[in-house]
Amino acid sequence: YKLENRKLRFVYLSKLNDEVTDDKKLLDEIEKFYDNQGYPEDMNTFIGYMPQDSYTNCKILILRFHEFLNLEGEQLRLI
């Protein structure tokens, strides 16, 4: 069940990434998804309201999100 949930999460987040072109709106949509999924810890690094170890801005959060998607896709062997 956990693996299938990760796959569905990857597909949903990838679709958001492809369809939402405004970075701020993308981050807002990601945060809504994060909230609805029960605050998965592996997504903390690109959620704007979560405490971060270093300075962050919108561009940095988007970069971290893309890194997450790439790593998740490789681990799930979906990309």
Side-chain angles (χ1 to χ4, degrees):
Y1 176 76
K2 287 182 181 183
L3 178 60
E4 295 305 314
N5 191 41
R6 279 181 67 193
K7 288 179 183 179
L8 288 172
R9 179 178 69 171
F10 175 80
V11 169
Y12 182 83
L13 291 174
S14 294
K15 185 174 178 170
L16 271 181
N17 187 55
D18 292 342
E19 294 178 356
V20 180
T21 56
D22 179 71
D23 286 349
K24 176 68 175 128
K25 183 162 175 53
L26 177 59
L27 289 173
D28 289 343
E29 292 298 319
I30 292 167
E31 286 177 3
K32 287 178 193 175
F33 179 79
Y34 173 77
D35 296 347
N36 289 332
Q37 293 297 303
Y39 313 100
E41 287 185 31
D42 60 347
M43 292 177 65
N44 288 351
T45 60
F46 53 91
I47 302 300
Y49 60 80
M50 294 300 291
Q52 305 294 325
D53 292 338
S54 60
Y55 170 77
T56 58
N57 60 30
C58 187
K59 294 250 185 239
I60 292 170
L61 293 174
I62 293 293
L63 286 173
R64 290 178 183 171
F65 170 63
H66 289 152
E67 289 171 358
F68 171 82
L69 276 184
N70 288 334
L71 181 61
E72 200 63 359
E74 288 173 9
Q75 289 178 350
L76 297 170
R77 291 182 169 63
L78 295 174
I79 55 174

